[in-house]
């Protein structure tokens, strides 16, 4: 419960109470899909929500929660969303937006049963129906709940709502593969000292930022597909995607996300001056080869510095190229004589780079690491190689089993992760599309939710045993994900 004496301003109140409200309502709403109304867990969720709502009503007289664009307001004061709470806020906003509900208002103290009635009513509203609010208010009146009221979602563009429509998927996919060829073109021009079409690259990045701002799950899923043939280009695009997605979660404004994306896209541009023999060597590099390899951050920043076409972008891009192997405690390379802490962009790109590079089978190590192993390494090196706060944000973002991961369940079934959970406590329990083997091929089966419990034993029905390498099974993840 929130103690009012600790709160200095109305905005602090909105942020604390709002965060509590969103967390509890979201959990309750999600719970309705798993448990029935009389389940004891639902009772606990309702009790938790009720405390928050009624304590707000006691001190303020009412509680209104409102969504405007991507911001949330509690009693008309903006709620400041902290990075670690972002997935929950986004989760609740999505649930409400899908149903065209933009505001919920409680105008008097309410009882537990009334709240249950309301949340189940909300959960049962169909998606994409603009007049849901009319129906909901009518029902609230009929059920004698005059202190609860909802409003229609305002000022909302269509494309923001139907974010996971087929159309959006198609756009993302097109964008993704086009940007690989774009990076290839730019890098090859750099290599051959030809003119580089910067405007095209900039336009692409603007697009990426917009796509990720709407919903990052599709592009993050695509980034998980490692295309082995075009290592450097594919890697560059992935690093940009991961970097923008991290940046967005910690509240970097769009204008800067664009710069971050560009810095991510060209962080390895220095590799264009390293011979193919070293770049593509599958065995371990010898000391001299390592020496050459380690020049790429400096070479990269020199390349960027010389390119006048980048304009004011170049400072950011120099940072990306120069800092991405330096490490958080500056123990990496290039060696620095005057130690200066890493910039935020450098810290973000280092994480994106490490995660993507280790998920690949080539170059320094023969077998790719599965995602959970990489995340474990990141946690171990948190504070040394990586910024600890950003590591947390990143793990929350990709989930332990990221989109597109091929997993083995305890039922001996195989499946592909198609949706990660928004809530931290279910980070290891994504939704999985089962694969059914037929005539030597794997076909899409049903989608299972790993948060589902057995009613009788209250044990989880399914568990992930381990991650599998799709190449070993001849499975092309792209086909299943899109
Ligand atoms: Fe690099
Ligand atoms: Fe890299």
């Amino acid at each position: 419960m929130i103690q009012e004496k600790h709160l200095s301003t109305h905005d602090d109140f909105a942020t604390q109470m709002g965060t509590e409200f969103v967390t509890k309502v979201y959990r309750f709403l999600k719970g309705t899909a798993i448990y029935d109304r009389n389940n004891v867990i639902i009772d606990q969720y309702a009790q938790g929500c009720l405390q928050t709502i009624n304590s707000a009503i006691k001190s303020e007289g009412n509680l209104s929660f409102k969504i405007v664009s991507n911001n949330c307001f509690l009693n008309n004061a903006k709620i400041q969303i902290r990075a670690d709470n972002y997935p929950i806020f986004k989760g609740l906003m999505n649930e409400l937006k899908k149903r065209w509900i933009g505001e919920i208002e409680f105008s008097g103290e309410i009882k537990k049963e009334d709240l249950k009635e309301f949340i189940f009513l909300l959960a049962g509203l169909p998606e994409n129906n603009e007049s849901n609010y009319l129906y909901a208010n009518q029902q609230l009146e009929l059920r004698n709940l005059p202190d609860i009221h909802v409003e229609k979602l305002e000022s909302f563009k269509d494309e923001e709502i139907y974010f996971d429509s087929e159309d959006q998927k198609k756009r993302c996919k097109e964008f993704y593969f086009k940007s690989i060829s774009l990076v290839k073109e730019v890098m090859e021009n750099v290599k051959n000292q030809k003119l580089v079409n910067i405007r095209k690259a900039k336009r692409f990045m603007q697009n990426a930022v917009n796509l990720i701002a709407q919903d990052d799950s599709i592009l993050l899923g695509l980034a998980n597909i490692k295309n082995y043939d075009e290592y450097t280009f594919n890697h560059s695009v992935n690093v940009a995607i991961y970097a923008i997605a991290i940046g967005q979660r910690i509240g970097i404004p769009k204008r800067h996300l664009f710069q971050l994306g560009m810095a991510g896209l060209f962080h390895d541009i220095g590799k264009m001056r390293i011979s193919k023999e070293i770049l593509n060597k599958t065995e371990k590099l010898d000391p001299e080869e390592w020496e050459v390899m380690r020049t790429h951050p400096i070479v990269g920043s020199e390349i960027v510095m010389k390119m006048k076409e980048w304009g004011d972008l170049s400072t950011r891009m120099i940072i990306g190229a120069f800092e991405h192997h330096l490490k958080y405690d500056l123990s990496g390379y290039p060696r620095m004589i005057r130690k200066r802490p890493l910039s935020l962009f450098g810290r973000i790109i280092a994480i994106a780079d490490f995660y993507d590079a280790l998920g690949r089978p080539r170059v320094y190590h023969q077998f790719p690491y599965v995602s959970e192993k990489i995340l474990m390494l990141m946690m171990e090196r948190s504070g040394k190689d990586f910024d600890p706060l950003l590591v947390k944000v990143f793990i929350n973002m990709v989930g332990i089993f990221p989109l597109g991961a091929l997993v083995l369940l305890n039922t001996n079934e195989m499946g592909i992760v198609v949706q990660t959970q928004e809530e931290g406590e279910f980070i290891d329990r994504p939704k999985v599309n089962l694969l059914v083997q037929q005539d030597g091929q794997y076909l899409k089966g049903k989608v299972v939710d790993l948060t589902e419990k057995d009613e009788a034993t209250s044990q989880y029905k399914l568990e992930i045993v381990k991650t599998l390498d799709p190449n070993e099974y001849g499975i092309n993840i792209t086909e299943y994900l899109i």
Side-chain angles (χ1 to χ4, degrees), residues 191 271-281 292:
K191 193 174 176 181
K271 285 193 179 169
M272 289 291 99
R273 297 276 157 83
I274 293 178
S275 73
K276 272 232 158 71
E277 293 73 61
I278 296 183
L279 272 185
N280 296 337
K281 194 171 170 186
V292 177

Side-chain angles (χ1 to χ4, degrees), residues 231-232 235-236 239 264 267-268 271 296 324-325 349 352-354 356-357:
Y231 173 77
T232 306
H235 169 65
S236 303
V239 169
H267 74 283
D268 270 340
K271 285 193 179 169
H296 83 268
H324 74 277
H325 291 292
I349 292 172
D353 179 48
F354 182 82
D356 190 67

Side-chain angles (χ1 to χ4, degrees), residues 13-37:
F13 175 83
T15 295
Q16 288 195 31
M17 189 60 95
T19 304
E20 225 181 282
F21 178 81
V22 168
T23 312
K24 291 179 175 173
V25 170
Y26 183 55
R27 184 187 303 158
F28 192 175
L29 197 60
K30 289 298 245 188
T32 60
I34 306 172
Y35 308 105
D36 72 40
R37 250 184 97 138

Side-chain angles (χ1 to χ4, degrees), residues 144-183:
N144 202 19
L145 304 170
D147 289 336
I148 310 177
H149 190 79
V150 296
E151 281 296 335
K152 188 181 172 182
L153 188 70
E154 292 169 10
S155 62
F156 220 71
K157 285 189 234 95
D158 277 7
E159 69 257 38
E160 282 181 78
I161 291 190
Y162 305 114
F163 54 83
D164 60 2
S165 66
E166 286 307 307
D167 211 44
Q168 172 87 347
K169 279 189 183 174
K170 227 175 84 196
R171 271 168 56 205
C172 282
K173 192 177 159 188
E174 244 176 56
F175 164 79
Y176 185 80
F177 292 104
K178 266 195 199 158
S179 42
I180 292 180
S181 55
L182 173 90
V183 179

Side-chain angles (χ1 to χ4, degrees), residues 54-110:
N54 282 342
S55 80
I57 286 169
K58 235 180 230 152
S59 66
E60 301 252 310
N62 75 326
L63 186 163
S64 114
F65 173 77
K66 190 170 180 175
I67 302 172
V68 180
S69 186
N70 273 322
N71 294 310
C72 298
F73 294 82
L74 191 98
N75 290 0
N76 293 322
K78 190 172 164 188
I79 304 172
Q80 303 298 332
I81 306 177
R82 279 206 340 242
D84 52 345
N85 291 324
Y86 180 78
I88 296 167
F89 272 85
K90 194 180 164 202
L92 184 65
M93 280 195 275
N94 281 347
E95 291 297 327
L96 295 175
K97 282 176 178 179
K98 275 198 296 208
R99 297 174 172 85
W100 280 88
I101 299 296
E103 185 177 359
I104 301 174
E105 190 179 9
F106 300 95
S107 48
E109 261 191 58
I110 50 168

